Amino acid sequence: MENLDYFDDNMNYLGTASRQEVHEKGLWHKTIHCWVLRRETENAEDKNYVVFQKRSAQKEYNPLVLDISAAGHYAAGETDQDAAREIEEELGFEVNFSELIFLGTLQEANIIPGQYEQTAINREFCYTYLLEDNRLLSSYQIQEEEVADIVQVSVQEGLKLFSGEISSAQGLDSQGNTATFHLKDFLPRDNTYYLKIFIMAERYFEGKSHLAI
C-alpha cells in the first residue's frame, strides 16, 4: 500500500499515512503536475501546443477526461526530483529534472466521487512545472492502466476555450486524428488553472519570463 506524507494547510509536515487514509480524511499532501509543451515548424512558422493525457477508463476517479500531461503523488519521503518519475511512468520517456521549469505550488482542494469506491476528499499542494518536448505524440509509450491516449491543443485554441471566447476547441490525438473538445471533456477544476497554463505556455513560446501559478 502506498504511503504519503501529509501536512497542515501551511505545508508543515505532520506525518505519514496510507494513500487511502489521506483521501478519506482529506489530509493535505504533495503532487507533481508536469505540463508538456510542443512546437512544430511548418512552412517556417511555429505552431505551439499544450499536451494533455486522456485518463484511462480503468481510473477510479474521473476516467476518460483530459488531464495534466503527467501528474501523480509524492510517495512518503520523496524529493521533487524523485516525484518527476511520474513523467517517465505515464508517458514513457526519461526527463532530466533540470529541464523542468518550476511555476510554483498550487493549493487545490476538491471532492471526487469514485466509480466503485468511496468519495475522495482531495487536498493537494501541486508542484507545477512546464517541460518543452517536441517528440511525436505517437512515440509516447503510455502507461495504459493510467493513460488512454495523448492529445494536443494549440495554445491559441486553449486560450480562447478557457477564457470563454469559444465553446469548443480543436485538437489532435496521438494518431493525428482531429477531435473537438468542450469544457466538459477536461478534468473538473477551476478553469482559470487551465487558462493560466495556456497563458504561461504562450509567454514561454514568445521568449518571455513565465509567471507564477
Side-chain angles (χ1 to χ4, degrees), residues 9-183:
D9 54 5
N10 290 313
M11 212 187 297
N12 296 308
Y13 173 77
L14 296 177
T16 299
S18 69
R19 179 169 174 168
Q20 180 179 356
E21 182 180 357
V22 164
H23 287 150
E24 283 178 354
K25 296 181 177 179
L27 303 175
W28 286 99
H29 55 286
K30 291 183 178 181
T31 60
I32 183 170
H33 289 187
C34 180
W35 289 95
V36 178
L37 310 181
R38 291 188 72 246
R39 72 172 92 207
E40 297 177 352
T41 303
E42 184 176 314
N43 299 324
E45 180 180 347
D46 280 349
K47 295 186 176 181
N48 304 319
Y49 301 93
V50 175
V51 174
F52 289 81
Q53 66 165 260
K54 185 175 183 180
R55 293 167 64 87
S56 167
Q58 302 172 46
K59 297 287 283 185
E60 171 65 17
Y61 302 105
N62 295 310
L64 296 176
V65 294
L66 300 184
D67 197 2
I68 301 152
S69 316
H73 293 78
Y74 281 59
E78 280 196 316
T79 65
D80 298 339
Q81 291 89 336
D82 294 333
R85 62 177 165 74
E86 290 286 349
I87 304 167
E88 183 175 2
E89 289 177 6
E90 294 189 351
L91 304 182
F93 59 87
E94 189 174 352
V95 171
N96 186 328
F97 185 76
S98 65
E99 297 175 355
L100 302 183
I101 301 169
F102 184 54
L103 301 181
T105 306
L106 171 75
Q107 283 185 264
E108 188 171 67
N110 46 45
I111 297 175
I112 311 172
Q115 288 198 87
Y116 312 109
E117 300 177 5
Q118 63 185 20
T119 294
I121 305 169
N122 204 35
R123 292 191 175 99
E124 299 179 346
F125 294 109
C126 309
Y127 286 68
T128 308
Y129 298 87
L130 294 181
L131 169 68
E132 181 178 355
D133 190 280
N134 298 317
R135 74 189 69 217
L136 296 174
L137 298 187
S138 58
S139 71
Y140 284 39
Q141 301 296 311
I142 59 175
Q143 185 180 23
E144 294 182 357
E145 316 88 78
E146 300 285 336
V147 183
D149 199 3
I150 300 294
V151 305
Q152 63 183 24
V153 176
S154 77
V155 170
Q156 292 307 311
E157 287 272 298
L159 287 170
K160 292 177 182 178
L161 177 65
F162 292 108
S163 65
E165 186 177 337
I166 58 177
S167 61
S168 64
Q170 299 296 308
L172 293 175
D173 65 18
S174 61
Q175 303 306 310
N177 300 312
T178 303
T180 300
F181 302 114
H182 300 81
L183 292 178

Side-chain angles (χ1 to χ4, degrees), residues 178-195:
T178 303
T180 300
F181 302 114
H182 300 81
L183 292 178
K184 65 179 178 58
D185 296 315
F186 296 82
L187 189 143
R189 50 169 47 102
D190 185 342
N191 286 335
T192 58
Y193 175 56
Y194 293 121
L195 179 59

